[in-house]
Amino acid sequence: MLVARLAFSNLLVRKARSLLTVAAVALSVSLVVSVTSGYASMEATIFRMLSTFFASVDARIIRQNDAQSGVPETLLQQVRADREVRSAVGRIEYASGLIDVEGRPIVNRNTIVIGVTRPEDHRVELMELRAGQWFDTSDGDVCVIDQVASLIIKDPSNTWGDESKPGVQVGDMIQLPSPDGNLSLRVIGIVHKPKILAALQPSVYVPIRTLQNWPATGAKGRFSAIWVDLDPNAEPAQFAGRWRAKLEEIDPVLKLKMASEQRGELDKNLRGLQVASYFGGAVSMLAAAFIVFSALSMGVNERQRSLAMMRAIGAHKGQLAHLVVIEALLLAGFGVALGIPLGLLWLLMLKWLFSDVLIAGIYLSYGGLLFAAGASALAAMSASILPAWGATRTEPLEAMVPLADGGKRNRAVAWAVPGLLLACADSLILFVSIRPLLQGLGIDQADRLAREFAFYAHLCIGLPCVMLGFFLIAPLMVLIVERMVGPIVAVMMRVRYPLLRQQLTGGIWRSAGTAAALMVGMAVFVVLQVQGNTVIGGWRIPDKFPDMFMTSFKLGGLTPADMEKIKSVPGVNPDEILPIAIASPEFGSSIFSIRGAAVMPEATMFFGLNPKLALEMMELEFRDGTEQQAVELMTTRRRHILVTEEFRQLKGLKTGDTLSLKTPRHGTVDYTIAGVVWSPGIDVMVSSFDLGKQFEQRTAASIFGTLEDARDDFGVEGVYLFALNVMPGIQKEQLADDIQKYVGAWGIQSGDVRVLKSIVQHQFRKLIFMVSMVAFSAMGVASLGVANTIMASVRSRLWQYGILRSIGVARGQLLRLVLAEAILLTVVGVMLGLLCGGLLAFNAKQLLLVMTGYDPPFSVPFGTIATGTAIVAVLAMLAGLWPAASVARRPPIALLQAGRGAA
Amino acid sequence: MAPLVCENVHKTFHQGDRAVAALNGVTLGVNAGQFLAVMGASGSGKSTLLHLMAGLTQADRGRVIVNATDLTSLGDRALTDFRRRNIGLIFQAFNLIPTLTAEENLALPIMLERRLTRSDHQKVRELLDRLGLTSRRTHRPDALSGGEQQRVAIGRALITEPAVILADEPTGNLDSSNSKVVCELLRDLSGVHGKTIVMVTHEPSVARYAQEVAVIRDGSLVAQFEVAEHDSESLAMRYQECLR
Ligand SMILES: Nc1ncnc2c1ncn2[C@@H]1O[C@H](COP(=O)(O)OP(=O)(O)OP(=O)(O)O)[C@@H](O)[C@H]1O
Ligand SMILES: [Mg+2]
């Protein structure tokens, strides 16, 4: 009771400090709340979209690996005959190029053409029909389009689907392109979709027979999928069991996907994102914790005398510790109380900004709220440990001396030793594998267990240790910076160094706490930038690499006739067209997986190609085996593959070893490794090249086999993707552009490799930048701490400033003196951040190697980091400006009087 | 038994390799209701003696017995409890908590132990009245004069009805008129209310309010005499003699 009362009144006395500290907590709470709720809203949106626009369906039958080869139409009758099936319809999904109203191909933009069986297929009616009506037959040259298709076809420059511009109207004709002749359709209805969805992929709905009869789709006699709705009282599990067995008999490449499984998979993929959203919140929480720490240590320092008196008149050590902890909890409590509404405010802003994206409305994440509250309490408690301990160490005798002096000081520096040890813990976890130990103990799966250990120990022990370690190093850094950088800053700011000396070390823990808060954001920023840059920097396309990729979406793949057409495209080198078959088999035994964490998928990307031509067209760097030997093995024998370096790193696989893969045709089979190559990034290229539909699951790493194996083992009948070279000529770019327009008119997509690469890199950079916002918000939180520390330091020196002013030091000089302190503090934070970030980046690179086997060389974006540093510096300076200006403004006599009161 | 007894206490401070013997075997007894002034030159060991009596430091040798408890045998926790219940401390720099009102500062030792009861409130009210602070009840320390602050501090030392009251230069931060008020208060406490008080001072004018004076020189008790025999001038002279 007394303790709470004292704690509360202490906060009231230092209003500005308490407010800033509460603001820091509130800011991070609000970030957690808005980010987690933003995530929840996004998730809700995704599921809403799935049910409305992708129609949640009880079960779907599709083809594994080679999804576009589709499902035979004959299967539909069998499915309909099942007594548990209420209804079943075929659907066709065909990606097509677009032609504008004037008949010109629209480059880099394709549409999804959906064949629907009407009137049986009611699902389309869930969409909002803005004009016209739905067709009620399975044939006829009519279509329903969405608003974005309408806008883009009318005006291809309207990339963002601006609805104030004119679009194609009901009654107008549109055309879908194909080398065999375009399909003309009359628009009879226009549906409206959430903009984001429509902008990603404008859609055209066409009667299913019309689409099947159009040769371009290759869909004669097949569907992309059969959609099944079960009877209300059907047993989905029984249905699944029955049909899985049946499909296995008909054709093992046919797969049944139940809605629940689909949702489970999506959940799994989203979970990673959710964890990331919490992790982001935790970062700013950490910064807030350091600020709370800093505020508490200021308080304990200033109240040394009161605390000593309380001890003298009979307060227990525990009571003093309690006092500090309660103070911390009060700060956290107010922070939460303020932060939650603030977070809701951010959410409202999100809602307002993204109302057309978040169609399911705003969802409050109660988990996020709980996390915010719990994490703040935890942060406050941990932040109070050291100050509370300091409070208990107050000697009652200190109350007896007439004037307290701030005697004990640089002992804080000794903490650097345990700090350093803690900071090394993470590296130890990552660089020293426990695999030999596990193997020594005769534990099987030692490999996987060692990797799991490294992963979880890194997250749960390593990272916290690094942060704590660097925090403990902070006092030493404060001392070093004050000694070494102090004189320089003094010259820069035109103040006398002796006046600046001991400004920071005078309250070494509060400086350390604030520097640590700055460090957190800085370190996260450095890690993200270095790691991101290293990953994309590591992806370098070999000197010799195909010039273009080309893809069609024709069901069943391109026919020999189609191939001839492509060979005849002006500019294409007919001898260097490399068909690539793609499958996504699961590994026979676990390679990447980590139990409980959806970090890495269990499947790989299998590229079937002609090895001789492939190796002629792209120069692969062999890490094991030779090109000649590999080609020889792959062409003369079956089931020989090239694997990427990742496999060797992770599994120690080398030429001659085997790798087991699950195949739909022959079960789990062993593939022999014919060579190990450095990944040229063809997988990144392919997965970015709008081939997502090829894969029913996420994949990691890639392997190269033959077209024959792709067909015989994985059931890939058709080939959709080609790598090709243009004719040797001068203007490659121009040629690629021309080809793009040419085949675009046929509805075939093509992409210049260099352009693709720069798009991928650009997207990735954008992603890193977005994620870096986490770091910047942590830095924003930390700058509140800077203001706090400078204020406390100024307060403890008011009298000294009063004397300086009265003996003739000018206002401006005083302002610069205080600012110089802010600069020094920032330098400490930045140095710590760079060191900590550097170490973490070093560890992150090792983690990447341990987890995925991917080991790109370091690539540090010095420019970006310098910019980030400048931003922190400016932010921190601004934070110091307020206390500096307010002390400079006060008249000398006020300073003298205030100073006496403070002493 | 006397409420406060020091038996041959020794205390040496070590600073680096230099040892300062602050007390060399002081033996001293203070009877119930007695008001003792401890005098001595600066550095003679007065404060050290008082700290030992308060249980704020431990003697190297000898025993300090307060209210029949040997302080040298107690650990930190027990000592803290003991201090709270049996010793009233008055500081030179009043040491009030700036965020609490006069009344709360006064009641602090009880509040450290428990929630105030109705009878506690009653007691606090009475004490404030006795100290002439009723009108200042809800003021915070920064709104009180030095004399008022010290009176609050005295009230804080009294509220638990301790066996002994220890004051180290209680008038050190006060002007002469406020000093006088405080001294009279202490005198009445012992004379009228029978409190046992030990006060450290080096001013004979302050010591005159006590019943007895003990003089310490270089860590040893060199003289102990009744105040009543002296007027202020002769007290000062007697004190000077002891120091020579
Ligand atoms: N914590 C300490 N460490 C080292 N020496 C100390 C300490 N406390 C006191 N001393 C030394 O012990 C001796 C006695 O000190 P003490 O404070 O008891 O003197 P005092 O009589 O109270 O003096 P004053 O009248 O100046 O308050 C002095 O020489 C002092 O320097
Ligand atoms: Mg003294």
Side-chain angles (χ1 to χ4, degrees), chain A residues 5 311-312 314 316 319 399, chain B residues 76 81 83-84 95 99 104 112:
Chain A
R5 165 103 177 65
R311 284 285 284 138
H316 288 292
Q319 283 177 305
Chain B
D76 179 75
D81 285 332
R83 270 206 304 274
R84 191 172 61 240
N95 282 344
T99 58
E104 287 165 333
L112 280 174

Side-chain angles (χ1 to χ4, degrees), chain A residues 695-713:
Chain A
F695 309 108
E696 278 292 315
Q697 59 197 127
R698 295 194 303 147
T699 58
S702 34
I703 54 188
F704 301 90
T706 60
L707 285 164
E708 293 74 26
D709 286 333
R711 185 186 60 228
D712 297 345
D713 277 343

Side-chain angles (χ1 to χ4, degrees), chain A residues 1-2 5-6 9-10 13 305-306 309-317 319 396-397 399-402, chain B residues 50-51 56-57 76-77 80-81 83-84 89 91-93 95 97-100 104 108-109 111-112 115 156:
Chain A
M1 180 49 204
L2 167 74
R5 165 103 177 65
L6 280 174
S9 54
N10 284 335
V13 173
R305 203 175 173 73
S306 291
M309 182 276 291
M310 286 179 65
R311 284 285 284 138
I313 66 165
H316 288 292
K317 287 181 174 180
Q319 283 177 305
L397 266 183
M400 306 302 289
V401 284
Chain B
L50 194 92
H51 296 164
L56 293 172
T57 38
D76 179 75
R77 206 183 159 79
T80 304
D81 285 332
R83 270 206 304 274
R84 191 172 61 240
L89 268 177
F91 307 85
Q92 178 181 346
N95 282 344
I97 293 192
T99 58
L100 297 183
E104 287 165 333
L108 189 61
M111 286 158 80
L112 280 174
R115 195 180 267 268
R156 183 176 64 193

Side-chain angles (χ1 to χ4, degrees), chain B residues 111-157:
Chain B
M111 286 158 80
L112 280 174
E113 194 159 319
R114 57 184 150 87
R115 195 180 267 268
L116 294 183
T117 63
R118 193 170 313 157
S119 71
D120 288 333
H121 277 296
Q122 183 63 26
K123 207 157 81 179
V124 169
R125 219 54 64 76
E126 280 171 21
L127 199 51
L128 279 169
D129 191 40
R130 187 138 49 100
L131 294 167
L133 290 168
T134 307
S135 61
R136 299 265 174 245
R137 199 165 66 86
T138 57
H139 291 229
R140 287 180 205 280
D142 54 8
L144 298 176
S145 75
E148 286 166 338
Q149 288 189 47
Q150 191 60 306
R151 273 184 279 154
V152 173
I154 292 172
R156 183 176 64 193

